[in-house]
Amino acid sequence: MKIIHNIITQSLFLFVFITIIGFTACNDDDSKEVVTPSGNGVPEVNIFSPMKGGYETEISFYGSSLPTDLSKIRVTVNGADAVVKSSNGRIVTALVQKDTGSGAVKVYIDYGSEVKEFSFQQEFEYGFQTLVSTYLGDGKKEDLDGPIETARLKGPYRLAWGNDNELFIMEEGASPSTATNFSAVRRLSEGQLATLFTGQQTTVAEKMRNIVFSNNNNTLYVTNDKDANGTMGLGILSRSDNFSNMTALYTNNSVTTLTVAVHPITGDVFVGRYNTAAIMKYNSGSLDHKMDILSANGTLTDMIFSKDGKKLYISIAYRGHSILVADYDKDTDTFSNLKTLAGPAKVITEGSAVNTTGYVDAKGSQARFNNPQQIDLDDEGNIFVADADNHCIRKVAPDGVVTTYAGIGKSSGFVDGEASTAKFNKPFGCKFGPDGALYIADNYNHRIRRIAVQ
């Protein structure tokens, strides 16, 4: 098959663009359409636009006598195939793919027994961008199991990843549970959403607050706010019975447990206590006191160990609105050096509790959050926070510098797209997935959102 190679120079680029583009006015309005000549039947590609972008940027190629059969058109950027989306004979569109990089743009057109190749003097400039998309749910508040394309959620609150890309979603529900609004644990696996456990099944756990897996992913630890509803403080759902039955591990009417963390090396289980906020260690039906957090009650919304197990990070909402950090020595089973990494909280070693909220990107004590919820860590030690009442996702660097990672601070709504212009509505859950993307439980939007650098 003969390949005819046409190099379009910059001067010809401008000349052809000026001479072949015409504007045809509509009779009844001011709208205009770009029109190119039909040509002599030989395909021509003259220009493309835009010349810079990122993953899923749509490039338009303008020419004449182009095939409308997409199988006869191939587009490459930097040697990587773009996905050809449409052709009307004059304009071909194609989507740039992930990690394509910057480089030459080429179009290949099947023409009889030949392939016409078109290349351009101007290269495409690829830039990485952080994009927010909808992973699950369409915004309607409903517990609907089934295929990911049609399944629906009702106020997703916490996230956890299991085996083989299983995404576990905890819904907080009403207190007390009702027939139409109940706490639940649901699993998305192989494109299907299924409800595994609900607070309607038992009075033990009607107001679940947090979920986290054991190190082997066979046991799902669950905390329940017994002050709201249900008698359990800490319980488990097991893979052995498909996570369908709750077993209470700890019940005590005088202690309210809101969050739970598993040590990545030892597998030990720690919970966050609300009453005179503290960290406790679960031990055969009891909770052993390990570290005081505040000198008053405080809502510890989440906590997570560093991957080496040497640090514990804690998010606190009521009486703190901050991110805390403490050192942990597994050999002596002791915490030390508790401090506020970002936000105004005064931990037990620094003075009385505070309850200052706000939205400020800054370092350390100058930063402000409003109801920080679930947190997760990336490989560089950055902490990502679902800042619920600021309706955005925050990033806390190891040195305490806080920036907005996605969303518009204090502006609720629903918008997918660039992270800086995307909108959330009370994001409560925040976990990295196996693909490296950050998944968000967007509570009031009843969706799971996905944030990826592409």
Side-chain angles (χ1 to χ4, degrees):
M1 187 178 288
K2 181 181 178 182
I3 296 180
I4 302 173
H5 182 71
N6 298 310
I7 303 294
I8 310 300
T9 64
Q10 188 70 26
S11 59
L12 181 58
F13 171 96
L14 295 172
F15 174 78
V16 173
F17 179 80
I18 294 170
T19 57
I20 70 171
I21 302 297
F23 295 91
T24 302
C26 295
N27 293 331
D28 299 322
D29 56 42
D30 294 328
S31 64
K32 296 180 179 181
E33 178 186 9
V34 177
V35 179
T36 59
S38 60
N40 58 5
V42 179
E44 292 290 340
V45 181
N46 308 116
I47 57 174
F48 73 89
S49 179
M51 295 181 182
K52 62 173 60 178
Y55 174 53
E56 291 192 340
T57 292
E58 183 177 273
I59 302 179
S60 296
F61 297 88
Y62 299 90
S64 59
S65 300
L66 302 174
T68 55
D69 181 352
L70 302 188
S71 67
K72 297 181 180 297
I73 306 170
R74 181 188 175 208
V75 174
T76 64
V77 178
N78 194 34
D81 280 288
V83 176
V84 179
K85 298 295 292 182
S86 68
S87 174
N88 63 6
R90 298 177 293 104
I91 303 172
V92 170
T93 64
L95 295 180
V96 178
Q97 295 304 286
K98 186 177 180 180
D99 298 333
T100 290
S102 301
V105 178
K106 295 185 178 182
V107 180
Y108 303 88
I109 304 292
D110 285 356
Y111 179 60
S113 60
E114 301 171 339
V115 174
K116 291 183 69 67
E117 177 186 319
F118 300 89
S119 59
F120 306 84
Q121 191 175 56
Q122 180 69 43
E123 293 187 343
F124 182 82
E125 182 181 338
Y126 185 93
F128 288 92
Q129 53 189 339
T130 302
L131 297 177
V132 179
S133 59
T134 296
Y135 184 67
L136 172 65
D138 61 4
K140 184 173 181 179
K141 184 179 179 181
E142 180 183 6
D143 284 310
L144 180 63
D145 289 343
I148 188 172
E149 295 82 6
T150 57
R152 287 174 173 157
L153 302 168
K154 185 180 290 183
Y157 191 78
R158 290 290 188 267
L159 302 176
W161 289 90
N163 297 330
D164 303 320
N165 297 320
E166 300 171 305
L167 176 58
F168 287 72
I169 303 163
M170 192 202 81
E171 297 174 336
E172 185 185 29
S175 179
S177 295
T178 68
T180 58
N181 193 1
F182 46 83
S183 189
V185 174
R186 308 173 75 188
R187 176 176 58 192
L188 179 67
S189 179
E190 297 182 346
Q192 295 284 324
L193 181 67
T195 299
L196 305 177
F197 172 84
T198 75
Q200 287 188 307
Q201 295 174 223
T202 173
T203 58
V204 169
E206 292 188 69
K207 193 69 171 180
M208 292 180 282
R209 289 292 194 178
N210 219 326
I211 54 175
V212 66
F213 267 106
S214 60
N215 290 339
N216 63 10
N217 284 343
N218 287 331
T219 300
L220 191 64
Y221 291 96
V222 182
T223 56
N224 177 75
D225 185 357
K226 60 90 182 171
D227 284 348
N229 239 60
T231 59
M232 181 191 82
L234 176 68
I236 57 171
L237 297 170
S238 299
R239 190 174 294 277
S240 60
D241 61 5
N242 199 33
F243 306 99
S244 59
N245 294 295
M246 183 72 73
T247 299
L249 297 180
Y250 178 79
T251 301
N252 186 319
N253 290 333
S254 64
V255 176
T256 300
T257 55
L258 299 180
T259 188
V260 58
V262 174
H263 192 273
I265 309 300
T266 66
D268 291 334
V269 179
F270 297 82
V271 300
R273 185 184 71 188
Y274 171 78
N275 320 79
T276 313
I279 303 301
M280 316 288 284
K281 182 179 180 181
Y282 175 73
N283 185 10
S284 301
S286 65
L287 294 181
D288 298 336
H289 178 272
K290 303 306 294 184
M291 177 175 62
D292 288 319
I293 301 295
L294 301 176
S295 57
N297 295 346
T299 305
L300 307 183
T301 52
D302 196 22
M303 54 190 192
I304 183 173
F305 282 96
S306 58
K307 298 186 189 318
D308 62 8
K310 295 181 179 180
K311 291 185 180 297
L312 179 68
Y313 296 95
I314 305 161
S315 61
I316 179 171
Y318 173 62
R319 287 216 173 101
H321 299 280
S322 300
I323 304 300
L324 316 179
V325 61
D327 294 329
Y328 179 71
D329 187 330
K330 67 179 179 60
D331 296 327
T332 60
D333 190 22
T334 56
F335 290 96
S336 62
N337 300 322
L338 174 67
K339 64 179 182 180
T340 303
L341 181 62
K346 297 294 185 181
V347 298
I348 192 71
T349 57
E350 298 172 350
S352 59
V354 297
N355 196 44
T356 304
T357 63
Y359 171 70
V360 179
D361 281 341
K363 183 175 182 178
S365 62
Q366 300 304 307
R368 292 291 182 269
F369 302 86
N370 193 353
N371 195 16
Q373 292 287 319
Q374 195 172 27
I375 58 178
D376 205 0
L377 294 164
D378 67 9
D379 292 336
E380 284 72 48
N382 297 299
I383 306 160
F384 292 80
V385 186
D387 193 0
D389 288 1
N390 277 327
H391 310 290
C392 60
I393 309 303
R394 313 291 288 281
K395 177 181 177 181
V396 184
D399 63 357
V401 172
V402 178
T403 55
T404 299
Y405 184 66
I408 301 172
K410 301 196 296 184
S411 179
S412 64
F414 170 71
V415 177
D416 279 337
E418 287 276 1
S420 61
T421 57
K423 287 190 175 184
F424 302 87
N425 196 348
K426 288 193 181 292
F428 275 86
C430 173
K431 280 294 169 185
F432 280 100
D435 59 354
L438 186 63
Y439 290 79
I440 307 299
D442 196 358
N443 190 269
Y444 277 29
N445 278 325
H446 311 293
R447 291 174 166 96
I448 304 301
R449 313 285 290 281
R450 180 178 183 269
I451 308 175
V453 179
Q454 300 168 326

